[in-house]
């Protein structure tokens, strides 16, 4: 049996407890554990299947300075949700070519690629737990099974294995001086904007 592989920016205490599996939430979404070697090709297959126009979402932690500036309560961290909408497939491909490896490896960020037309979306969350949203979520089942995932009634995610003594860890990853915060600054030059601030 292969041990579940996490992204370089993520550590989980019991990878042997995590399986490449998915749970279907009928008429809404699929939640999946996808081992790191399968994540990139699966994300690519999903966004190549989505009808244009597309949008890209990047979710990042707020800085300590901004948390203080906005006078948020201590102890509760917040994130900014950034949108880049009305994108063609070729524009999303360009973003992916430039930043996909970093986004997949990084532990602090979350990202999504979605269709404004069909309301289908792939959302890669903390610890790379992946949600696939669709009015007919089972349309993604053949793709997941192609990568060896199997359906379960209740998905055990890394979050379910954490305790106070054995937490998970998410870290920022840098490639050649670039990190996800600099990715956001680059994409803002192309129209990315802050959509909202949310609690972590």
């Amino acid at each position: 049996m292969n041990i579940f592989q996490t992204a370089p920016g993520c550590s989980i205490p019991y990878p042997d407890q995590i399986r490449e599996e998915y749970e279907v939430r009928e008429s809404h979404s699929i939640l999946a554990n996808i081992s790191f070697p399968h994540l990139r090709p699966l994300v690519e297959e999903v966004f190549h299947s989505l009808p244009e126009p597309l949008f890209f979402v990047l979710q990042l932690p707020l800085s300590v300075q901004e948390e203080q500036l906005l006078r948020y309560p201590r102890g509760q961290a917040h994130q900014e949700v950034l949108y880049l909408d009305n994108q063609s497939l070729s524009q999303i491909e360009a973003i992916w070519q430039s930043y996909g490896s970093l986004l997949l490896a990084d532990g602090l960020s979350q990202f999504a690629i979605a269709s404004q037309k069909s309301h289908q979306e792939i959302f890669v969350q903390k610890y790379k737990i992946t949600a696939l949203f669709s009015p007919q979520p089972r349309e993604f089942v053949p793709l997941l099974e192609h990568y060896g995932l199997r359906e379960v009634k209740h998905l055990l995610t890394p979050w379910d294995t954490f305790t106070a003594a054995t937490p998970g860890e998410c870290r920022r990853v840098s490639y050649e001086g670039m990190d996800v915060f600099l990715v956001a600054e680059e994409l803002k030059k192309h129209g990315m904007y802050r959509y909202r601030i949310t609690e972590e």
Side-chain angles (χ1 to χ4, degrees):
M1 181 185 66
N2 293 327
I3 295 293
F4 186 84
Q5 292 185 46
T6 58
C10 304
S11 298
I12 60 176
Y14 303 111
D16 56 307
Q17 294 183 15
I18 304 302
R19 305 283 184 270
E20 284 199 279
E21 297 172 334
Y22 65 92
E23 173 187 334
V24 180
R25 298 168 177 185
E26 300 294 351
S27 304
H28 181 258
S29 64
I30 289 175
L31 194 66
N33 294 325
I34 303 169
S35 196
F36 189 67
H38 291 153
L39 193 54
R40 184 181 191 112
L42 196 144
V43 170
E44 290 174 353
E45 286 201 51
V46 171
F47 78 71
H48 278 102
S49 74
L50 302 180
E52 299 171 314
L54 306 175
F55 65 93
F56 179 76
V57 183
L58 185 58
Q59 197 163 316
L60 299 171
L62 288 186
S63 67
V64 173
Q65 293 83 355
E66 189 168 13
E67 289 270 0
Q68 293 172 343
L69 184 66
L70 295 173
R71 299 179 184 275
Y72 284 130
R74 286 187 177 181
Q76 179 59 62
H78 293 77
Q79 297 201 337
E80 62 172 346
V81 181
L82 301 159
Y83 271 44
L84 182 60
D85 44 28
N86 293 309
Q87 298 292 290
S88 66
L89 177 58
S90 61
Q91 287 173 306
I92 293 294
E93 285 176 332
I95 293 169
W96 190 248
Q97 280 296 113
S98 297
Y99 309 120
S101 295
L102 176 57
L103 291 168
L104 290 168
D106 183 69
L108 293 185
S109 59
Q110 304 176 76
F111 70 90
I113 301 170
S115 168
Q116 293 172 229
K117 183 177 181 180
S118 68
H119 307 293
Q120 298 162 297
E121 175 181 334
I122 183 164
F123 180 24
V124 181
Q125 306 171 27
K126 279 283 186 75
Y127 298 101
K128 307 306 173 186
I129 300 164
T130 301
L132 294 154
F133 295 95
S134 172
Q136 292 87 36
R138 285 196 175 273
E139 66 192 350
F140 291 116
V141 165
L143 176 62
L144 295 172
E145 293 186 343
H146 172 74
Y147 285 98
L149 278 76
R150 67 181 186 93
E151 183 174 354
V152 292
K153 230 174 208 185
H154 302 291
L155 183 71
L156 180 79
T157 73
W159 290 102
D160 298 311
T161 69
F162 299 162
T163 67
T166 59
E169 182 186 357
C170 289
R171 302 174 295 278
R172 181 173 58 179
V173 169
S174 295
Y175 284 167
E176 298 177 350
M178 176 68 72
D179 64 19
V180 288
F181 298 98
L182 291 175
V183 169
E185 292 306 311
E186 286 300 311
L187 293 179
K188 285 174 185 176
K189 298 174 185 176
H190 299 280
M192 178 171 268
Y193 59 93
R194 177 179 284 182
Y195 176 67
R196 65 189 172 100
I197 294 174
T198 184
E199 291 183 354
E200 280 197 16

